[in-house]
Amino acid sequence: MGLDFRIHKKLNYFDLDVDVSIANELLVIEGASGAGKTTILNCLSGLTTPDSGHIAVDDRVLFDDKARINISTEKRHIGYLFQNYALFPNMTVRNNILYGLRNKRGFRHRQERREMLDYADYTMDTLGISHLADKRPTHISGGEKQRVALARAMVTRPALMLLDEPFSALDENTKEKIYEEFMAFKDTLRIPTVLITHNHRETELFADKNITLKEGRII
């Protein structure tokens, strides 16, 4: 069980060529800007198609060029927390978090819908953002936006979590508080998680495994 991927993708200045396997752990990927880190996340999520390779989560194949398998992004069951959080400014915090659930199978059935909404409430409570439910993203702080984005990624109970420099936009004081909360929340994920960062302290705090990329290759 876990995440296994081999990705080859020709980029502008080099070829991305990586082979990684993790269990239900947190993998940190470090490396300079332009090393291919975000391309890996985009390939795992289905936003980018590798030229060749294999991607599987818990033995479910998401991509395999030889078998001609390429599951669409919306069917990969992946949580993706973008660097800029990508919250909808015209929606309340609650509706931002519930957005991913509305297309989830079973949401229109009363019992399953109630269970999903209860889990959304539990997730907001766990991350300490229940009091923000009716606010819009333009009226909350950077640290609160980070929690909302994490809740939105978690509420669909993904099989894999992808985090693209989720703490980089926060000031140092806010980072320390979020680090503590994420450390506690990390233990509840129990799914393979991939975190991209330039911050070696984040690697030391969070990584079960870590790799460093240089021009598309693990060094």
Side-chain angles (χ1 to χ4, degrees):
M1 303 293 281
L3 169 67
D4 179 74
F5 64 91
R6 300 188 313 277
I7 294 172
H8 182 267
K9 179 73 175 175
K10 188 172 182 61
L11 304 178
N12 288 336
Y13 301 106
F14 54 81
D15 286 0
L16 176 67
D17 197 354
V18 292
D19 188 343
V20 177
S21 181
I22 62 171
N24 290 338
E25 303 169 289
L26 193 147
L27 169 71
V28 171
I29 304 178
E30 294 182 282
S33 296
K37 303 185 301 298
T38 297
T39 300
I40 291 176
L41 295 195
N42 288 342
C43 287
L44 293 175
S45 68
L47 295 174
T48 298
T49 301
D51 296 330
S52 62
H54 177 89
I55 301 169
V57 178
D58 295 339
D59 297 325
R60 179 179 179 234
V61 177
L62 304 182
F63 174 82
D64 190 303
D65 66 298
K66 293 180 180 177
R68 296 184 179 181
I69 296 171
N70 188 14
I71 304 298
S72 63
T73 298
E74 61 271 17
K75 293 181 180 179
R76 292 197 179 196
H77 199 39
I78 289 173
Y80 199 151
L81 201 166
F82 295 90
Q83 186 174 353
N84 64 0
Y85 308 142
L87 300 177
F88 299 106
N90 60 322
M91 292 184 183
T92 63
V93 163
R94 179 184 294 278
N95 285 338
N96 262 282
I97 293 169
L98 294 179
Y99 181 80
L101 286 177
R102 299 196 186 282
N103 295 322
K104 192 173 176 63
R105 182 178 297 176
F107 189 76
R108 290 184 174 85
H109 298 288
R110 181 176 296 179
Q111 180 61 31
E112 291 185 48
R113 183 175 186 272
R114 183 69 263 164
E115 291 175 0
M116 292 178 190
L117 292 174
D118 286 346
Y119 185 69
D121 287 339
Y122 165 78
T123 303
M124 285 193 289
D125 186 58
T126 300
L127 291 171
I129 55 174
S130 297
H131 64 291
L132 303 175
D134 296 321
K135 292 184 179 291
R136 297 184 188 274
T138 51
H139 298 142
I140 63 178
S141 70
E144 289 167 340
K145 289 176 183 176
Q146 194 269 352
R147 293 184 187 95
V148 173
L150 182 59
R152 185 176 65 181
M154 279 301 304
V155 77
T156 58
R157 302 183 185 183
L160 169 66
M161 179 69 79
L162 307 176
L163 309 169
D164 191 357
E165 298 192 56
F167 313 109
S168 62
L170 304 178
D171 62 72
E172 292 305 314
N173 289 335
T174 303
K175 275 184 184 180
E176 290 304 314
K177 180 172 177 55
I178 295 295
Y179 286 167
E180 291 179 12
E181 292 175 351
F182 186 72
M183 282 288 288
F185 199 63
K186 170 179 175 281
D187 293 335
T188 72
L189 294 176
R190 297 177 184 172
I191 57 175
T193 303
V194 182
L195 167 68
I196 286 178
T197 184
H198 283 100
N199 188 324
H200 194 63
R201 172 163 162 70
E202 292 172 9
T203 302
E204 293 176 338
L205 284 173
F206 306 134
D208 297 308
K209 293 182 178 178
N210 69 288
I211 60 175
T212 301
L213 281 189
K214 182 176 181 181
E215 295 185 345
R217 295 180 183 273
I218 299 171
I219 60 172

